[in-house]
Amino acid sequence: MSLRLSRSIVGAAEAEAVRRVIEEDGYLGMGNETRRFEEELAAWLGVEPWQVITANTGTAALTLAVDSLFAHSLVPHRAGALPKILVPSLTFVASFQAIVAAGCLPVACDVLPETGTIDLRDAEKRLDGDVVAIMPVHYASNPWHLDEVYDFARRKGLRVIEDAAHAFGCRHHGKKIGSFGDLVCFSFDGIKNITSGEGGCLVAFDRECAQRAADARLLSVEGDTRSRYAGTRTWTPDIKRLGWRFHLSNIMAAVGRVQLARLKPEFIPARRALAAQYAEALDGLPHLRLLQSDPEDFIVPHILPVRVLDGRKDAFKEALAARDIPTGVHYKPNHLHTFFAAPGALPLPVCERLFDELVTLPLHPGLSREDVATVCDAAREALA
Ligand SMILES: *Cc1c(COP(=O)(O)O)cnc(C)c1O
């Protein structure tokens, strides 16, 4: 098979789990498997089951997280003004769309050139009275300076929504991402560190937000999660607010449960070993720079972006493509999209420079050491 940028690593165990749901449970929607997936995620993270709210995509989890901020007016905001959320521009468009979907305004922030993570000094310049939260993105699975983000938020009176879509399985200074904080969102889409086909979850650290999100994923039918896990429904609810069909089905949860069990023995060591091999082979090459990380952090890399300097990015990508090596772009900065452009906003020079430099190399646990050596040889030649 040709070398792929990323892929799902699934097989007989996932197929058997789906078979079990179809042939033994007989109910494909949200039920027992979803409940068990939430319990197992909670156990893995070391949090209580009520704190984990699965959703049918990571984007849905982010939308629920933003929406949950307004549970019981936990976050006051000015009538008539859209609440604003600080977010790095260098992220998947999902972060921005989720903010808009939940009725807020994304404020694009610049990033640090060494890591691609949010630049808090830049973020501070964009603060005004309508900003209610900050959404750091663990770019390339790097929770860089997350403690500083929480300090900043505490000082400025902001809530924190971590877009941890890349960072399932990572640790910041010894603590698992999702085991502490405010609101933490993961993605289980087809190529993330674990997949449920499509899916995601929110981890909440206060009961109001957790309850609001659990209801909002089921059209804001209050308490319907409990009913479904008991095999029934809430038949005659009174709906008090906006809600969505964002719940995770038994089929997807069954796949996710198998993947969660494979994370520690298979996926974590494989991803880390391949990334270490890349780092060793590429470090110090001319015109190329690796992203930095904190040695105190434990990173399970979802993607492998590198910076190709001195205007050589396009030639580099073409040289790899000529050898059938696919490369990716993570990401087009969101302030450059028509929908999110904010005329008059402060410039975002680092995001734009990184957009001219970043090239994502193939990374997934199905790659062999030989595959990575092939990519690194091609990279070395392309830069010579
Ligand atoms: C994948 C991803 C998401 C969204 O997750 P989906 O499950 O694809 O909806 C959000 N943010 C980032 C940074 C991502 O990479």
Side-chain angles (χ1 to χ4, degrees):
M1 210 200 307
S2 63
L3 222 149
R4 284 170 53 173
L5 186 62
S6 56
R7 53 171 290 206
S8 304
I9 306 296
V10 287
E14 287 81 1
E16 166 57 22
V18 171
R19 187 207 62 76
R20 188 167 41 74
V21 173
I22 293 172
E23 294 190 355
E24 293 173 25
D25 188 305
Y27 179 61
L28 310 192
M30 176 185 179
N32 252 325
E33 288 291 326
T34 314
R35 177 180 59 77
R36 291 173 73 179
F37 188 33
E38 289 183 347
E39 289 168 359
E40 289 164 7
L41 286 164
W44 157 266
L45 292 169
V47 300
E48 299 288 322
W50 65 263
Q51 295 182 255
V52 177
I53 295 111
T54 52
N56 55 13
T57 61
T59 308
L62 284 166
T63 307
L64 293 168
V66 176
D67 176 72
S68 80
L69 292 178
F70 305 98
H72 306 288
S73 300
L74 281 174
V75 169
H77 63 276
R78 196 154 59 85
L82 284 184
K84 295 179 182 171
I85 299 188
L86 302 169
V87 56
S89 193
L90 189 75
T91 183
F92 187 38
V93 64
S95 321
F96 275 63
Q97 290 286 29
I99 290 169
V100 174
C104 296
L105 203 62
V107 177
C109 297
D110 215 355
V111 297
L112 301 170
E114 300 81 15
T115 58
T117 54
I118 193 163
D119 177 348
L120 292 173
R121 286 168 55 181
D122 177 83
E124 182 153 14
K125 292 185 206 147
R126 298 173 197 268
L127 271 176
D128 66 27
D130 293 323
V131 174
V132 297
I134 181 168
M135 183 185 283
V137 177
H138 305 321
Y139 183 81
S141 313
N142 187 351
W144 182 257
H145 289 186
L146 185 55
D147 291 339
E148 286 178 21
V149 173
Y150 275 97
D151 280 347
F152 175 86
R154 201 169 308 119
R155 281 198 317 265
K156 306 297 179 188
L158 307 179
R159 299 292 300 259
V160 179
I161 299 168
E162 292 176 47
D163 180 342
H166 294 187
F168 197 75
C170 299
R171 291 168 193 262
H172 177 57
H173 294 191
K175 294 177 294 181
K176 275 182 188 155
I177 296 298
S179 71
F180 65 96
D182 190 355
L183 294 154
V184 184
C185 297
F186 295 111
S187 164
F188 308 136
D189 87 15
I191 58 165
K192 293 280 163 46
N193 285 356
I194 63 168
T195 182
S196 56
E198 296 290 350
C201 79
L202 154 65
V203 187
F205 289 82
D206 68 87
R207 286 203 180 256
E208 283 92 337
C209 286
Q211 192 55 55
R212 168 122 155 183
D215 289 340
R217 73 176 156 177
L218 286 162
L219 300 173
S220 287
V221 176
E222 288 175 15
D224 203 34
T225 295
R226 216 178 314 115
S227 302
R228 282 168 180 260
Y229 290 170
T232 176
R233 292 291 163 83
T234 310
W235 291 113
T236 53
D238 179 35
I239 304 302
K240 305 194 184 78
R241 55 176 311 274
L242 171 71
W244 293 276
R245 292 282 283 178
F246 278 174
H247 56 283
L248 189 76
S249 76
N250 272 345
I251 287 273
M252 292 151 89
V255 173
R257 292 180 63 207
V258 175
Q259 290 269 303
L260 180 60
R262 295 177 66 182
L263 177 66
K264 196 171 172 195
E266 287 182 62
F267 302 150
I268 289 180
R271 285 184 176 276
R272 282 174 56 82
L274 295 170
Q277 187 189 344
Y278 268 120
E280 198 183 314
L282 300 180
D283 196 17
L285 285 189
H287 315 296
L288 184 142
R289 197 154 305 155
L290 299 171
L291 293 176
Q292 284 179 18
S293 58
D294 178 344
E296 302 272 312
D297 288 337
F298 179 87
I299 293 180
V300 183
H302 155 56
I303 52 173
L304 206 122
V306 297
R307 294 169 64 192
V308 179
L309 312 177
D310 311 317
R312 290 173 180 253
K313 175 182 137 170
D314 291 340
F316 180 84
K317 285 175 75 81
E318 280 160 28
L320 266 60
R323 294 176 162 233
D324 281 331
I325 298 170
T327 56
V329 182
H330 294 89
Y331 297 94
K332 175 178 170 180
N334 283 274
H335 68 279
L336 300 179
H337 290 293
T338 303
F339 189 44
F340 303 120
L346 295 170
L348 296 108
V350 179
C351 282
E352 290 177 21
R353 192 171 99 218
L354 286 180
F355 184 39
D356 287 336
E357 294 177 350
L358 287 167
V359 176
T360 303
L361 300 176
L363 182 70
H364 57 78
L367 291 178
S368 64
R369 286 192 65 82
E370 292 69 42
D371 292 330
V372 171
T374 302
V375 177
C376 293
D377 288 344
R380 201 174 298 113
E381 229 166 79
L383 296 168

